[in-house]
Each structure stands twice: as C-alpha cells, then as structure tokens.
Amino acid sequence: MTDRTLTPPPHTEPVVFTRDQLDWLPWIEPLTEAELTPRHHASLVDAARAKSPYFRLLARDPDALEARTRADKDIFYNPEAGLPRAERELAATAASRHNGCIYCASVHARFAATYSKRVPEVERLLAEGVGADLDARWNAIVAASVALTSTPVAFAPSHVDALRQAGLDDAAIVDVINAASFFNWANRLMLSLGEPAAP
C-alpha cells in the first residue's frame, strides 16, 4: 500500500451539477497500468476500467474492488424484472445530488437522461435539487432515494406506499433501494479519495 498523499495539479473545480463528462483527481496514488497484475485486472471486471485512476486506486484492494464491481453490475445492469435501467440511474443520481457528489451525479445523470430520454427532467433534478417536481413516479423514486441517503431510518413505509402508488412492484422497489443505497456508499468512497475536475 502507498503512504503517499497526492496534491492535485492546478485544475478547475466544477461548482454546479452537470451532465458533462468530468475528470477525477485522486489524493492517494493509484496503481499505474503497468503495475496491474492479472489479479488486479480480474478485480476490474471491465478491461476499460484500467484507464480510470479511480478504479486503479480501488484495485489496491482487489478483493474489495471485485466485490464492489460485481454488486454494481448486478444492481444496474441486471435486466431481469424490476426497475428499468433509467430509473435505477435516477435513484443513483438523486443519492449523488443529495450527497453533493458532482462527479457521480454527472455520470448517472447522463445514463438516466440517455435511457429515459427525459433530459429536461434530469436537468431539473441537477439544477433544482432533490425537491424538483418531476412527476409522481419520479418524485417517489427520488424521495425514497433521498430518505435512504439521509439516514436509513428516514426511509419509512410511507415511501414504500408512494412507490407502490406510482406503479412499482416489489422487485422494482428493491431496485430503488439497492441503487440508492449502493450510491450512497459509493459517493462517500469517491468523495473521500479525491475530487472532481472540469476537463
């Protein structure tokens, strides 16, 4: 493990939530691509992640990274029943917007807009925050995600009722909980290891 703390180079820090592609600058030295062993590559799951300093930093603990990545894939890429991908990304965007993780919000807002084709609503969530009025279904997903993000005990039967009234079945409700909870943790990890930068 490294004991070196990095000072980010001069950069422009984004100050508003955006769907633009952002960079991320680590405070702890990531592995270089040349240092990645077959075990590190296996933990990345996707070969393209070897280009990311964030994932090369997490690869310093390959067992934890692999478990994290496989959970991520199962929550967001599993097409079997439950919530559409767009709304799993909406839950991640809401958690990230509430936590102040500009980098994660940008990534998942792009996915939410791409898969839902509802760019104005996604832009409103980024600009106005988690209180933005989107529609009954999206408001219920955002409210449940924000409750889980604030503190788990804030999530209540009333959130489940609102999700059911918005048309979500049990599998879809579990997907909201998984997506918001995963990104509540992921935001804290990313915000603790570095900072976003405008490209």
Side-chain angles (χ1 to χ4, degrees):
M1 186 56 99
T2 179
D3 59 359
R4 184 176 168 214
T5 302
L6 301 179
T7 300
H11 63 280
T12 301
E13 187 173 341
V15 293
V16 296
F17 287 87
T18 176
R19 287 187 298 122
D20 293 346
Q21 183 97 35
L22 300 175
D23 292 330
W24 183 80
L25 303 172
W27 297 332
I28 298 173
E29 186 87 59
L31 297 171
T32 66
E33 287 188 64
E35 291 175 312
L36 296 175
T37 66
R39 178 67 190 103
H40 293 128
H41 280 289
S43 74
L44 292 166
V45 180
D46 285 341
R49 291 186 172 187
K51 298 293 182 190
S52 162
Y54 177 66
F55 288 109
R56 292 201 313 275
L57 174 54
L58 297 186
R60 289 189 174 280
D61 186 343
D63 292 341
L65 173 58
E66 184 167 0
R68 172 241 176 265
T69 302
R70 294 198 183 283
D72 179 1
K73 295 281 189 189
D74 196 48
I75 291 168
F76 289 94
Y77 295 83
N78 183 347
E80 301 298 325
L83 208 59
R85 171 78 185 275
E87 292 176 334
R88 300 179 200 201
E89 298 293 349
L90 175 67
T93 304
S96 301
R97 180 65 176 81
H98 189 62
N99 274 332
C101 188
I102 289 178
Y103 184 92
C104 293
S106 73
V107 172
H108 295 281
R110 284 197 301 276
F111 284 137
T114 296
Y115 288 107
S116 71
K117 312 297 186 201
R118 294 177 60 180
V119 173
E121 289 88 347
V122 174
E123 287 290 331
R124 200 176 312 137
L125 173 60
L126 292 177
E128 298 176 15
V130 295
D133 184 15
L134 306 175
D135 70 19
R137 182 178 172 101
W138 277 29
N139 288 347
I141 292 171
V142 169
S145 301
V146 169
L148 285 163
T149 301
S150 298
T151 179
V153 296
F155 184 80
S158 60
H159 294 103
V160 176
D161 289 341
L163 291 168
R164 286 193 199 286
Q165 289 171 13
L168 278 69
D169 63 14
D170 288 352
I173 292 170
V174 170
D175 282 337
V176 171
I177 294 168
N178 281 338
S181 299
F182 182 88
F183 259 87
N184 193 21
W185 168 78
N187 293 161
R188 282 159 169 72
L189 191 61
M190 179 156 260
L191 289 167
S192 301
L193 293 172
E195 60 195 73

